[in-house]
Amino acid sequence: QVQLVQSGAEVKKPGSSVKVSCKASGGTFSSYAISWVRQAPGQGLEWMGGIIPIFGTANYAQKFQGRVTITADKSTSTAYMELSSLRSEDTAVYYCAAGKIFGPFDYWGQGTLVTVSS
Amino acid sequence: EIVLTQSPGTLSLSPGERATLSCRASQSVSSSYLAWYQQKPGQAPRLLIYGASSRATGIPDRFSGSGSGTDFTLTISRLEPEDFAVYYCQQYGSSPPKGTFGPGTKVDIK
């Protein structure tokens, strides 16, 4: 059973960047695919991008291309999502999710609230 | 890029009733890489159905999925109090991963 533990809530200024971490335990980190999904207040789920740690190649939703970077550190079983040029519309709960390669998102982190405010 | 549409937006039903939720894709979803998730307020989503019709581990058999191509359905045979939540469909199944979600259907108590 994979467990995903995310870093804590963040408050950021517009124009700055945020980096959220997602540490996995209980499974073989490198063999999973890790995705990042966000949810703005009262809104639905929005897939941002994903990575397969064993390959290191990331895939991003077109909406976030150029503004998001997803990485993974196999040595610490931790994935990261960095979002730059933050604006108020980026205020959301950010989730990491894991599943088998080509599979659905079986496991989810607890979510990290990122608030963008001046 | 595939776009998923869910209907209805909100479904108001009573406990014990049957719920039928629809998910339509803008183009065919290959190999039935279609999943359903349940989300309750303040919680992360939970995987219910994958491969259009396979229940995830620990999911009660009152939840069932069906469909192929562009039209998919999630059915809850008899609603339990804990089933009132928002349900999302998702297209997945690529490497590196992708995971487009539908806008969700809220099932609330009538």
Side-chain angles (χ1 to χ4, degrees):
Chain A
Q1 181 79 356
V2 175
Q3 290 190 317
L4 303 174
V5 178
Q6 299 181 221
S7 50
E10 303 260 13
V11 179
K12 294 293 184 179
K13 300 284 189 190
S16 67
S17 298
V18 67
K19 191 170 187 177
V20 182
S21 67
C22 171
K23 184 171 177 60
S25 62
T28 306
F29 179 72
S30 294
S31 67
Y32 281 91
I34 307 290
S35 281
W36 289 88
V37 177
R38 79 175 186 181
Q39 187 169 39
Q43 303 301 308
L45 303 174
E46 184 172 34
W47 179 79
M48 300 178 68
I51 191 168
I52 298 174
I54 196 171
F55 299 137
T57 307
N59 195 13
Y60 303 114
Q62 193 167 4
K63 175 178 178 177
F64 300 101
Q65 286 274 3
R67 215 162 61 93
V68 68
T69 304
I70 294 172
T71 56
D73 183 341
K74 289 179 287 189
S75 68
T76 59
S77 299
T78 303
Y80 300 90
M81 185 283 300
E82 184 170 21
L83 187 63
S84 62
S85 302
L86 289 169
R87 33 206 188 235
S88 59
E89 311 88 87
D90 295 318
T91 294
V93 175
Y94 289 77
Y95 293 102
C96 62
K100 294 175 184 174
I101 297 171
F102 287 103
F105 299 176
D106 295 272
Y107 309 103
W108 292 73
Q110 81 277 20
T112 296
L113 175 62
V114 175
T115 303
V116 183
S117 174
S118 55
Chain B
E1 186 169 312
I2 293 177
V3 175
L4 300 177
T5 305
Q6 292 186 242
S7 61
T10 302
L11 196 53
S12 296
L13 295 168
S14 300
E17 289 194 293
R18 181 185 188 89
T20 302
L21 288 66
S22 174
C23 176
R24 180 162 288 177
S26 59
Q27 53 187 285
S28 183
V29 175
S30 62
S31 303
S32 292
Y33 284 151
L34 192 288
W36 291 92
Y37 298 82
Q38 176 194 67
Q39 188 181 33
K40 298 178 182 178
Q43 295 184 17
R46 176 174 72 146
L47 176 66
L48 298 176
I49 300 287
Y50 64 94
S53 60
S54 298
R55 273 187 299 277
T57 303
I59 302 303
D61 59 9
R62 63 180 181 273
F63 291 92
S64 63
S66 62
S68 64
T70 59
D71 290 295
F72 299 87
T73 301
L74 175 70
T75 302
I76 310 171
S77 58
R78 287 178 57 86
L79 283 163
E80 297 288 341
E82 60 269 26
D83 299 337
F84 292 93
V86 181
Y87 294 83
Y88 296 93
C89 61
Q90 181 207 31
Q91 181 253 329
Y92 63 94
S94 73
S95 175
K98 273 188 180 179
T100 308
F101 289 93
T105 290
K106 182 178 183 180
V107 178
D108 66 14
I109 300 177
K110 189 173 181 182

